[in-house]
Amino acid sequence: MSSTRLEKAETRTGKSPVKRLFHTSTRIRRAALPFGSLLLFLFLWELLAASGTWSETLVPPPVKVWDAFIEVSTTNDGVRGYGGTTLIEHLGISLRRIALGAGIGIALGVVFGLVMGTVGWVRSLFEPWITFLRTLPPLAYFSLLIIWLGINEEPKITLLAVAAFPPVAVSTTTAVAAVPRSLLEAARALGASRWDVVKDVVVPSALPETLTGVRLATGVAYSSLVAAELVNGLPGIGGMVKDAANYNNTPVVLVGIIAIGVSGLVIDGLLLRLERAVVPWRGRS
């Protein structure tokens, strides 16, 4: 009787109860490992702060960072957040800058990658310049952008766009160039035009690597955020970090760093979900 019930359950769900239990335990373990590592990190942090090896100005205990988080997220004694702006507002302004700047850089990178991957002389012409740009740290040209564009939003957006452009361009170019020639020849033999070949063969084949480039570009934009907000960055999470560092306000600096890191993890997770939805065949044989 029990065997019959197991068979019926497996028929309904496509998985046996044993397999479902195994997958459930695997998911629990995957969720528990990051949480456990976080608890271990907080324990070691508290231990280091309590040891007195460094002053609290250099290594504040977690409770002081938590107090700073509450302070910059609320209104205290008539003071709203940090510099009159709450933490979520600082983060929102910075995310808007990243979305605009990285969005421009990613769009241009995809277009350039498609062109360079399909037209040989264009690749020979622009690839050295893109490699040159990719090796430059953001601070190397940010001062020049300020001279050209002023101290408002324009140099910040431009810096993030320039930082996000090379990873997408390089990954898209490599992916397009790696499309099997047999697929291209088969499409042409079936009467496909050049545009049809690009649209129906090249783009789907290059899409997985292009999405990887988008994730890399977003990470590069995040790593350039504080540099982009070095000048006139308030309000903005990077500007908050820089301003707090000027006054040795380490707890607020750590709050800003954690906010940038957590939001980056969330956005990278969303991009990874998008990649799995758009190219579900990736990684499967």
Side-chain angles (χ1 to χ4, degrees), residues 18-269:
V18 175
K19 289 182 179 179
R20 290 203 305 273
L21 181 61
F22 173 77
H23 287 300
T24 301
S25 63
T26 301
R27 286 197 296 268
I28 294 174
R29 185 169 61 252
R30 287 177 179 174
L33 285 175
F35 182 71
S37 67
L38 175 61
L39 291 179
L40 178 61
F41 172 76
L42 291 175
F43 173 75
L44 294 176
W45 181 4
E46 178 64 36
L47 199 65
L48 181 63
S51 68
T53 306
W54 291 283
S55 68
E56 287 192 356
T57 302
L58 297 177
V59 184
V63 65
K64 283 204 167 185
V65 177
W66 175 256
D67 291 340
F69 168 75
I70 298 299
E71 183 178 342
V72 299
S73 302
T74 57
T75 300
N76 297 280
D77 298 328
V79 179
R80 187 170 183 270
Y82 188 91
T85 307
T86 62
L87 177 65
I88 192 66
E89 291 171 341
H90 281 299
L91 185 60
I93 290 169
S94 293
L95 290 178
R96 185 179 64 199
R97 289 168 178 161
I98 289 178
L100 184 57
I104 293 172
I106 288 170
L108 291 176
V110 170
V111 172
F112 263 79
L114 286 173
V115 175
M116 288 192 300
T118 54
V119 184
W121 68 267
V122 175
R123 181 175 183 177
S124 300
L125 179 63
F126 285 104
E127 193 170 39
W129 293 101
I130 293 176
T131 302
F132 172 79
L133 191 62
R134 183 166 56 91
T135 58
L136 288 178
L139 287 177
Y141 50 84
F142 186 51
S143 299
L144 185 61
L145 293 177
I146 293 174
I147 294 173
W148 286 348
L149 303 174
I151 61 172
N152 294 318
E153 291 298 294
E154 290 82 0
K156 302 178 184 64
I157 302 301
T158 304
L159 175 67
L160 294 172
V162 172
F165 170 74
V168 183
V170 171
S171 62
T172 304
T173 300
T174 304
V176 171
V179 175
R181 187 169 296 275
S182 58
L183 292 179
L184 302 177
E185 292 175 351
R188 294 192 188 102
L190 293 173
S193 64
R194 186 179 184 87
W195 167 247
D196 290 332
V197 171
V198 172
K199 176 171 62 74
D200 298 328
V201 178
V202 175
V203 171
S205 298
L207 193 55
E209 293 302 324
T210 298
L211 290 176
T212 299
V214 170
R215 290 179 61 200
L216 291 174
T218 304
V220 172
Y222 259 83
S223 66
S224 305
L225 177 61
V226 176
E229 296 180 343
L230 278 175
V231 178
N232 196 24
L234 285 173
I237 195 73
M240 185 188 80
V241 169
K242 189 258 181 184
D243 189 77
N246 291 339
Y247 299 100
N248 291 328
N249 193 344
T250 310
V252 173
V253 171
L254 290 174
V255 167
I257 291 173
I258 293 170
I260 294 172
V262 171
S263 61
L265 282 174
V266 171
I267 290 179
D268 186 70

